[in-house]
Amino acid sequence: MRVFERPKVLKDKVFHYCPGCTHGIVHRLVAEIIEEMDIRERTVGVCPVGCAVLAYDYLDIDMQEASHGRAPAVATGIKRVLPDKVVFTYQGDGDLAAIGMTETVHTAARGEPLTVIFINNAIYGMTNGQMAPTTLLGQRTQTTPYGRNAAKEGYPIKVCEMLATLDGPSYIARVSVGSYKSILNARKVLREAFRRQIEENAYALVEVLSTCPTNWGMKPRDAMDWIENEMQETFPVGIFKE
Amino acid sequence: MAEVIIDRERCKGCLLCVSFCPKQLFTLSDKLNSSGYYPVKIKEMKECSGCAVCATVCPDVAITAVDR
Amino acid sequence: MKKKQVLMKGNEAMAEGAIMAGCRYFFGYPITPQNEVPAHMAAYMPRAGGVFIQAESELAAINMVYGAAGAGARVMTSSSSPGISLKQEGISYLVGAELPCVIANIMRGGPGLGGIQPSQSDYFQAVKGGGHGDYRLIVLAPDSVQEMADLTMLAFDLADVYRNPVMILGDGNLGQMMEPVSFCKFRKRKLPPKDWATTGTAGRPRNIVKSLYLIPEQLEAHNRKLYRKFQTMKRREVRFEEDIPEGCELLLTAFGTTARICRDVVDKLRQRGHKVGLLRPITLFPFPEERIKEVSSRVKAVMTVEMNMGQMVDDVRLAVEGRCPVHFCGRTGGMVPSVEEIVHEAGKILRGMKE
């Protein structure tokens, strides 16, 4: 009996992600959920600009590639045309919480029946590690070489806490993929976010605390531990709206 | 009997399985794969309990876990 | 039998034409002087079983258009100059991903926030690309409320035929003025099925809507494919209207609002015995360059009239290729040239010919 095998929704292609990058884990979870819920043929995904820009190379479903930050608007257009399909976006912290914050907030406020998967790794990975809206105070990045200083660069944005104040969303949660247990929990929560759209025609967002070992300058395991020990102090995991 | 199958060509040698395996069964092989990484291998397959922790944490979905 | 006519604003006629052409999705953001378009869509789209969303910005609106077009729908957005600038990134992506849609620009004066009075100063932006990358839009320039409706209906078919955005380039004057308009029953052409749309993979291999080509050989091939479409548009879609007398001395060229004014200019000058003609491009891209080239070899001069500081006149000069002098007469910043001042400018050119 196979206790663990590659989901068929994942195409037979090696990820372009750096060694130890947890994008691969989240891609796999999404693929598993699509397979398990048997929605592959009626799912349309929207890719961001950022490291996951090529997500369509890996997920064997219909996908659209959005411009930077506009995935929620693109997904809104798709969902309004195809209300019976399952539409999700997969976005990073720069895409969702910097350039695309307007679309993020208003799509949530409208309660568009979408599933938003938000990868928060506290840095811009694709462009070599600049400060993200979610970079922690004191965290060194290419553009905060002395550490993020609240007086100069402001504070990290807590997307879940902020969106949970809106009436539109049905489900807002933050999970981590920083440990085995966290990954199992992330899977459960992501599945619920898809279920909300499918069964309740509702908006759901899941923030996934993820690693960027390359730009954090850490070994992959140390990066995972950093999520569990450091990142979660600023970004506590939990369900913010249910 | 439990077993894990490692796809050498997918593995990037990130060592997450090495550090997460409760029985410390993984190690790096000394042969490069075609992408230029040293993929992991199993030291003692008969020790494997089939818990699939390695496969769950593997970011490259390079591990299949089997329980026969 | 005379067709039933209704009195409507240009903006309303455009919106109604879109609905009649099967547009069922409209995403827009308020901006003067095009607000009648979203207002009409908000009122009538639900009755047609369609969707209207007031987006949070022009950026959101154009990207909703992208999503809906990628899902296979007939979809439209409208805005005015500053808002169209905001949409440029999205328009570039729409062309790159070969998505059909209709975008209306009811122009106002610029640059910057400019003003809210009519202008034609977005000609360059509309016909030369507008956003980044090597691309063109089909640009239709109505000159009446009737054409606001008719060309919008045409625009949806052209967008689908070429899998390319089509722009309706109007101005605040055409959008706001009221004229009688009649709607003929829209007969959609036979078009190929949108088998490229992302509608779920049931029964077929998956579809990807994207403009990203990281391998330069592939991107070049994609650009060449787009270029071939633009060349086909140039062969097949040139539209213009002309009134050129035998022995024409001065040819006026103008589009949209200024073309309307130029009709009166032509009448006035003819009453005074001058042989004056008018050529009005209806498609600004593709531009009627061949026709202008032909006519320019048998007239003494050309004068282009625009509500800007001289934009279409560049394309006229390229078409004329020095066969005769090309003059320009324009007002800008929301000022509309009067018949008298154009007659005056034309008079100077005509007198120069006699000397």
Side-chain angles (χ1 to χ4, degrees):
Chain A
M1 186 188 94
R2 285 174 184 265
V3 291
F4 186 100
E5 67 181 331
R6 197 178 164 82
K8 287 175 195 69
V9 174
L10 269 190
K11 288 178 78 76
D12 185 22
K13 184 160 187 176
V14 176
F15 292 133
H16 71 281
Y17 301 112
C18 302
C21 166
T22 48
H23 265 304
I25 294 176
V26 186
H27 281 20
R28 189 198 86 223
L29 295 178
V30 172
E32 283 175 359
I33 290 162
I34 290 171
E35 199 161 294
E36 191 177 287
M37 297 181 111
D38 195 20
I39 53 172
R40 191 187 81 86
E41 294 194 332
R42 60 186 189 103
T43 297
V44 183
V46 182
C47 306
V49 170
C51 285
V53 69
L54 295 171
Y56 56 75
D57 273 353
Y58 310 121
L59 294 167
D60 190 18
I61 53 171
D62 274 7
M63 292 197 92
Q64 291 196 22
E65 170 57 50
S67 61
H68 199 22
R70 316 299 166 214
V74 170
T76 297
I78 299 169
K79 186 71 180 185
R80 293 295 182 117
V81 175
L82 305 167
D84 299 333
K85 308 291 179 195
V86 182
V87 183
F88 73 91
T89 71
Y90 187 104
Q91 305 171 257
D93 39 44
D95 194 88
L96 181 140
I99 193 166
M101 186 59 110
T102 314
E103 284 78 6
T104 297
V105 171
H106 285 269
T107 305
R110 284 194 303 270
E112 292 288 343
L114 302 170
T115 303
V116 176
I117 300 162
F118 166 33
I119 305 298
N120 176 3
N121 60 8
I123 207 156
Y124 281 69
M126 187 62 129
T127 48
N128 296 343
Q130 296 82 7
M131 183 185 73
T134 49
T135 291
L136 304 189
L137 288 180
Q139 188 184 338
R140 289 173 189 232
T141 70
Q142 196 184 64
T143 48
T144 55
Y146 308 105
R148 184 175 188 164
N149 175 347
K152 283 198 243 162
E153 286 100 24
Y155 294 86
I157 295 176
K158 298 175 182 182
V159 170
C160 287
E161 287 83 341
M162 195 171 79
L163 293 182
T165 64
L166 298 173
D167 296 321
S170 154
Y171 188 64
I172 304 278
R174 183 182 290 125
V175 298
S176 150
V177 287
S179 73
Y180 174 68
K181 271 192 180 158
S182 295
I183 294 169
L184 298 185
N185 178 58
R187 192 181 193 285
K188 233 170 44 198
V189 171
L190 282 164
R191 196 181 198 284
E192 175 63 13
F194 276 94
R195 194 196 67 78
R196 294 280 170 131
Q197 178 184 170
I198 295 162
E199 290 177 17
E200 298 175 18
N201 204 36
Y203 174 96
L205 175 142
V206 180
E207 175 176 341
V208 184
L209 302 180
S210 300
T211 66
C212 182
T214 300
N215 289 302
W216 291 357
M218 289 181 201
K219 289 179 181 160
R221 177 58 198 259
D222 294 344
M224 278 197 163
D225 293 344
W226 195 74
I227 297 184
E228 301 294 297
N229 302 327
E230 304 288 328
M231 230 177 143
Q232 289 189 23
E233 282 192 16
T234 304
F235 300 113
V237 298
I239 311 289
F240 293 85
K241 188 151 189 198
E242 41 186 331
Chain B
M1 198 186 83
E3 189 187 347
V4 294
I5 304 158
I6 299 159
D7 184 338
R8 279 179 48 88
E9 286 304 309
R10 282 186 197 286
C11 177
K12 295 174 185 156
C14 75
L15 304 177
L16 283 175
C17 53
V18 173
S19 77
F20 276 101
C21 174
K23 296 192 167 180
Q24 312 280 307
L25 296 180
F26 288 83
T27 187
L28 279 185
S29 71
D30 50 12
K31 267 202 205 129
L32 291 170
N33 66 16
S34 62
S35 304
Y37 294 112
Y38 288 105
V40 289
K41 62 177 184 186
I42 293 278
K43 287 183 280 192
E44 276 298 332
M45 193 65 83
K46 60 177 185 289
E47 297 281 314
C48 176
S49 68
C51 69
V53 168
C54 55
T56 305
V57 300
C58 176
D60 287 288
V61 205
I63 300 174
T64 305
V66 187
D67 196 358
R68 292 183 217 278
Chain C
M1 193 184 79
K2 203 163 179 263
K3 269 190 248 155
K4 194 185 152 207
Q5 289 193 315
V6 278
L7 191 64
M8 278 181 127
K9 280 191 171 190
N11 283 336
E12 293 163 348
M14 179 166 68
E16 190 54 33
I19 294 173
M20 291 187 76
C23 171
R24 290 294 176 270
Y25 300 88
F26 181 93
F27 308 110
Y29 186 81
I31 185 169
T32 306
Q34 62 81 57
N35 290 320
E36 292 79 7
V37 186
H40 190 92
M41 292 299 193
Y44 294 99
M45 200 55 110
R47 294 189 198 179
V51 170
F52 163 83
I53 297 182
Q54 179 173 327
E56 56 272 29
S57 71
E58 283 89 352
L59 308 182
I62 194 70
N63 285 287
M64 289 174 187
V65 168
Y66 181 103
R74 281 207 152 174
V75 54
M76 180 179 187
T77 186
S78 71
S79 190
S80 177
S81 309
I84 294 292
S85 291
L86 282 166
K87 289 184 199 286
Q88 289 303 331
E89 183 202 32
I91 296 171
S92 171
Y93 277 66
L94 282 154
V95 178
E98 296 189 85
L99 296 178
C101 66
V102 175
I103 301 149
N105 180 1
I106 304 303
M107 290 180 284
R108 55 188 255 184
L113 205 44
I116 59 168
Q117 299 300 324
S119 167
Q120 295 179 326
S121 51
D122 303 345
Y123 175 91
F124 282 153
Q125 186 197 49
V127 307
K128 307 293 182 192
H132 63 282
D134 202 350
Y135 74 87
R136 300 301 178 111
L137 308 176
I138 293 178
V139 182
L140 303 175
D143 80 335
S144 64
V145 172
Q146 184 65 53
E147 274 196 356
M148 289 284 273
D150 295 347
L151 292 183
T152 303
M153 291 162 100
L154 171 69
F156 282 96
D157 274 357
L158 292 181
D160 281 346
V161 166
Y162 293 99
R163 284 187 62 186
N164 202 71
V166 176
M167 179 169 277
I168 307 289
L169 194 67
D171 63 54
N173 176 57
L174 291 165
Q176 297 295 323
M177 73 185 192
M178 295 184 91
E179 278 183 335
V181 55
S182 62
F183 292 93
C184 52
K185 199 171 179 305
F186 178 74
R187 282 212 197 94
K188 191 175 166 179
R189 334 181 166 188
K190 270 206 165 158
L191 296 163
K194 296 184 175 181
D195 52 10
W196 43 263
T198 59
T199 53
T201 58
R204 58 159 172 78
R206 76 207 188 106
N207 286 333
I208 305 296
V209 166
K210 62 163 180 133
S211 59
L212 178 68
Y213 295 86
L214 286 173
I215 297 163
E217 286 83 356
Q218 289 178 6
L219 183 54
E220 187 184 48
H222 180 57
N223 268 284
R224 287 188 190 282
K225 179 187 175 201
L226 297 178
Y227 178 78
R228 284 195 295 276
K229 288 202 300 190
F230 306 144
Q231 293 302 108
T232 309
M233 292 169 191
K234 282 186 172 186
R235 281 198 307 278
R236 294 190 189 154
E237 305 301 342
V238 173
R239 287 167 171 80
F240 59 90
E241 183 187 76
E242 65 179 26
D243 171 15
I244 303 172
E246 260 325 291
C248 177
E249 295 172 304
L250 176 64
L251 176 72
L252 302 181
T253 55
F255 71 96
T257 289
T258 44
R260 288 174 76 98
I261 300 168
C262 282
R263 283 201 194 98
D264 286 350
V265 173
V266 167
D267 287 347
K268 273 237 160 87
L269 290 166
R270 284 179 184 170
Q271 281 162 20
R272 296 180 191 174
H274 297 292
K275 294 204 161 162
V276 179
L278 172 64
L279 189 146
R280 171 175 79 95
I282 296 170
T283 51
L284 298 178
F285 183 88
F287 192 67
E289 53 200 28
E290 284 303 318
R291 184 58 185 157
I292 291 174
K293 183 177 163 184
E294 286 162 24
V295 177
S296 68
S297 61
R298 54 185 166 85
V299 299
K300 289 183 179 154
V302 175
M303 183 170 85
T304 298
V305 185
E306 299 178 67
M307 293 192 294
N308 57 46
M309 293 305 286
Q311 299 193 14
M312 185 178 82
V313 67
D314 281 10
D315 286 334
V316 173
R317 287 197 177 106
L318 284 170
V320 169
E321 287 177 320
R323 286 179 198 85
C324 68
V326 177
H327 303 268
F328 175 73
C329 167
R331 294 294 300 272
T332 193
M335 296 302 292
V336 179
S338 66
V339 174
E340 289 68 31
E341 63 188 296
I342 302 170
V343 166
H344 180 73
E345 288 301 313
K348 285 198 276 188
I349 298 164
L350 289 162
R351 277 197 302 281
M353 291 172 188
K354 303 276 182 314
E355 281 162 12

